[in-house]
Structures are given as structure tokens and as C-alpha cells.
């Protein structure tokens, strides 16, 4: 949702257009809900590049020559109209944002996800938060004055609890910025970067809300790693990632068995961390592998959650 903050900043300084991917179908370079901001001289964000983006930028700058509030909705079959081989279809809104109608931006600032209603008027678009069911589509009649659009934007950030502010922890924290995670970063040392919670790691682990989150354990102390691993196994964390070699894994797993943990509990631990097949040991390489793994896990969790919700809405035979 960085575009929200950027839009609020730019609206006070110069005319601003917004490109919105209202809906997509098939293979497309970006997902529905994507926003791109365009001024006379600059572009912020992307709707996926290629001819689609060039066309949208041109249309946005044309909109800037018209009064604020001016809007247009256009369908783009990517293969037929724009020659993009992905071949999908997108419905795009392009508008010259009206500073007098910016209250909705303030209302959604800081939200990870929300449902937005856009009422289409001849002189502009009126927006507000809503709890209605999304109704946007890449097909069917193009919306006109008097219609309204319901979009679901963003996604809840996945909580990540990370223990360890050494070289690898710093690299991971850097890579996670801008990705759909909320990082809580802990260490029991005092010489750590800003933003790290300093205190007894085990206490912080016990206090952490890990019910729907992902846990990473990579401290400077193997004994502390072991105690944190045991604490994490007693929590409902959805992922427990432990940094270490095959030898560390074998020793930890053997100790956990002696301490009474069952095989299905131990199987919750991923060690070493990071997407398999990436073998580099530099902190930056590990960080990229871990971020990719967390994204993969998060997608699986969200898919399972959506499937469960869908199943609950099906009629009982």
C-alpha cells in the first residue's frame, strides 16, 4: 500500500493521475488492485511494463490535461490489442485525482488490506471503505456514470517472528522490506540495529503472537537456538525455521527426541532454512532464499485459508 502514502504526498505538490487495474483475466503481468501513479514527468509503481504500461502512461498524461476528477475505464485484451504474448485481459481505470476528494486516501493509510467502494460520477469518483462483496470484472459492460465498483485491495501482512540480529538476520530484515510481512525482530544483545526488540529471547518468544505467524531462529548462541526451538514447538507457529547445518539439525533433533518431543512435532522444523537448491552461504544469499521460502509458505497458507472459506460456503448435500 505504499502508493497511498505517495499519492497523499504528491497531491499537495502537483497534478497527479492514478492508473488502477480494476480486474484481470488470464495471464497478466500484474494482479487486480495494482496502482500506478503518474505525473507530468515521473512514474511511481508499475502495472507490469510493456505496451500496456506505455499505453496507460500516455492516457494518464492526457488525463492530466483535463480537469481533476476526469476518469476513464478501458478494457485491454493484451494479445489482440497490445501485442503482449501473455494474452490475458485487463480492465483499467485512469483518472486525474481530485485533491478535494482525497479523504479516502487518509482513511486507508496504514491499512494492509481493505474493501473500497468507488461511485462513478460525471465530475469524478467518490470513494469510501466498504464491506460489500467485490463486483469488478474484466468482462461484461464497461462501467459508466452511475455505476459503482467494489474492490478488495491489498492483503493482510503475515507475521514473522525472527530471533537473531547478526549478519544473516540483518540481511533477512533488509530483504523483507516491501514484502507482505510484518517483522517482529528480537535479540538479547544490546549492540543491534534500530528496530530490534532487546530482551530475554525466551520471554519474548513466550509473549509473541505466533498463532498465524512464521518463526525464524538464527541467534549467535546454539544453546539459545535450542531453547527457542523448544519454545516454538510448544507454540502454534505455522512455520519454524532454524538456521544450521546438517550436523546441527541431527544434534538438535536427537536432543528433542530425548526431551520428549514426538516425530510429528519435530517435523514442523525446517533446518536448514531457505529455499532448497540455493547453496550459497553469504548472508545476502541466505536472505533471498529465506524470503522466497516465506513467500512460498505464505501463499500455501492463504490458499488453504481461501479453500476452507470456500468449502464453508458450499451447500451441504
Amino acid at each position: 500500500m505504499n502508493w497511498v502514502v505517495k499519492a497523499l504526498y504528491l497531491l499537495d505538490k502537483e497534478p497527479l493521475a492514478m492508473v488502477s487495474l480494476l480486474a484481470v483475466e488470464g495471464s497478466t503481468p500484474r494482479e487486480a488492485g495494482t496502482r500506478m501513479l503518474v505525473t507530468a514527468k515521473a512514474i511511481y509503481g508499475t502495472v507490469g511494463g510493456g505496451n500496456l504500461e506505455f499505453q496507460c502512461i500516455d492516457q494518464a498524461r492526457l488525463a492530466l490535461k483535463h480537469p481533476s476528477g476526469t476518469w476513464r475505464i478501458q478494457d485491454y485484451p493484451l494479445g489482440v490489442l497490445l501485442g503482449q504474448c501473455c494474452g490475458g485481459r485487463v480492465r483499467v481505470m485512469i483518472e486525474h485525482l481530485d485533491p478535494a476528494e482525497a479523504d479516502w486516501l487518509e482513511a486507508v493509510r496504514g491499512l494492509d488490506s481493505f474493501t473500497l467502494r468507488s461511485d462513478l460520477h460525471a465530475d469524478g469518483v467518490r470513494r469510501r471503505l466498504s464491506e460489500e462483496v467485490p463486483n469488478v470484472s474484466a468482462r461484461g459492460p464497461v462501467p459508466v456514470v452511475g455505476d459503482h465498483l467494489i474492490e478488495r485491495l491489498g492483503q493482510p501482512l503475515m507475521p514473522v517472528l525472527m530471533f537473531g540480529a547478526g549478519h544473516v538476520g540483518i540481511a533477512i530484515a533488509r530483504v523483507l522490506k516491501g514484502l507482505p510481512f510484518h517483522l517482529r525482530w528480537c535479540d538479547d544483545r544490546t549492540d543491534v540495529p534500530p528496530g530490534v526488540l532487546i530482551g530475554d529471547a525466551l520471554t519474548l518468544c513466550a509473549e509473541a503472537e505466533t498463532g498465524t505467524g512464521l518463526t525464524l531462529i538464527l541467534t549467535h548462541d546454539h544453546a539459545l537456538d535450542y531453547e527457542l526451538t523448544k519454545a516454538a514447538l510448544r507454540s502454534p507457529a505455522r512455520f519454524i525455521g532454524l538456521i544450521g547445518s546438517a550436523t546441527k539439525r541431527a544434534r538438535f533433533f536427537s536432543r528433542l527426541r530425548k526431551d520428549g518431543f514426538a516425530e510429528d512435532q519435530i517435523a514442523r522444523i525446517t533446518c536448514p532454512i531457505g529455499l532448497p537448491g540455493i547453496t550459497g552461504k553469504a548472508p545476502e544469499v541466505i536472505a533471498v532464499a529465506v524470503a522466497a521460502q516465506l513467500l512460498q509458505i505464505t501463499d500455501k497458507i492463504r490458499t488453504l485459508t481461501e479453500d476452507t472459506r470456500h468449502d464453508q460456503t458450499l451447500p451441504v448435500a
Side-chain angles (χ1 to χ4, degrees):
M1 294 294 111
N2 290 338
W3 59 268
V4 174
V5 176
K6 194 68 176 180
L8 284 167
Y9 173 79
L10 292 170
L11 273 173
D12 286 336
K13 299 184 177 301
E14 58 185 315
L16 178 65
M18 181 170 72
V19 179
S20 304
L21 294 192
L22 298 177
V24 302
E25 182 181 272
S27 178
T28 59
R30 291 297 304 272
E31 63 277 4
T34 298
R35 261 44 175 187
M36 180 172 70
L37 305 175
V38 180
T39 68
K41 295 183 179 180
I43 304 161
Y44 304 91
T46 176
V47 292
N51 288 334
L52 171 65
E53 184 157 304
F54 295 145
Q55 183 76 14
C56 288
I57 292 169
D58 288 344
Q59 293 297 318
R61 288 187 170 142
L62 285 174
L64 290 175
K65 298 178 181 180
H66 294 273
S68 59
T70 299
W71 58 272
R72 177 186 179 189
I73 296 177
Q74 174 73 46
D75 286 350
Y76 289 103
L78 299 182
V80 176
L81 187 61
L82 298 177
Q84 293 190 208
C85 61
C86 47
R89 182 184 181 92
V90 299
R91 177 162 288 178
V92 179
M93 173 182 274
I94 296 170
E95 60 187 300
H96 182 173
L97 288 177
D98 186 352
E101 295 290 341
D103 288 352
W104 69 276
L105 287 167
E106 289 289 359
V108 303
R109 183 206 289 261
L111 299 181
D112 301 328
S113 61
F114 52 89
T115 301
L116 188 68
R117 175 177 174 132
S118 301
D119 294 304
L120 306 179
H121 297 266
D123 61 346
V125 182
R126 315 283 188 268
R127 291 185 168 95
R128 58 183 172 84
L129 289 170
S130 172
E131 295 183 357
E132 297 168 90
V133 176
N135 67 353
V136 287
S137 171
R139 292 193 178 272
V142 174
V144 296
V145 171
D147 289 339
H148 66 272
L149 311 173
I150 310 295
E151 298 175 85
R152 184 65 184 169
L153 300 180
Q155 57 184 358
L157 300 184
M158 178 64 71
V160 175
L161 177 63
M162 182 167 71
F163 294 98
H167 297 299
V168 174
I170 291 170
I172 291 174
R174 188 181 299 121
V175 171
L176 293 187
K177 286 183 179 179
L179 298 179
F181 301 108
H182 174 70
L183 177 64
R184 188 180 186 192
W185 192 10
C186 310
D187 202 293
D188 59 358
R189 297 171 294 176
T190 56
D191 56 336
V192 292
V196 179
L197 295 172
I198 301 171
D200 178 71
L202 288 173
T203 301
L204 292 170
C205 185
E207 294 174 349
E209 296 179 0
T210 57
T212 59
L214 316 176
T215 299
L216 296 174
I217 300 170
L218 37 103
T219 78
H220 61 290
D221 185 337
H222 281 209
L224 178 57
D225 279 357
Y226 183 71
E227 294 303 320
L228 286 168
T229 300
K230 290 198 298 182
L233 285 174
R234 296 186 184 105
S235 80
R238 295 196 178 192
F239 174 78
I240 301 170
L242 171 66
I243 197 168
S245 62
T247 301
K248 180 177 178 180
R249 170 191 167 95
R251 288 179 177 174
F252 271 41
F253 283 22
S254 176
R255 290 181 64 188
L256 289 169
R257 293 183 186 101
K258 291 177 181 178
D259 284 340
F261 288 92
E263 292 299 325
D264 60 338
Q265 292 176 292
I266 297 172
R268 293 173 59 202
I269 302 168
T270 296
C271 180
I273 53 173
L275 209 61
I278 300 175
T279 57
K281 295 183 179 180
E284 294 78 9
V285 174
I286 296 172
V288 170
V290 169
Q293 186 174 49
L294 296 184
L295 286 169
Q296 191 177 68
I297 292 163
T298 299
D299 283 346
K300 289 180 180 178
I301 291 172
R302 291 200 169 112
T303 298
L304 288 172
T305 301
E306 290 300 319
D307 288 346
T308 300
R309 288 174 181 167
H310 176 70
D311 289 344
Q312 290 174 344
T313 62
L314 293 176
V316 177

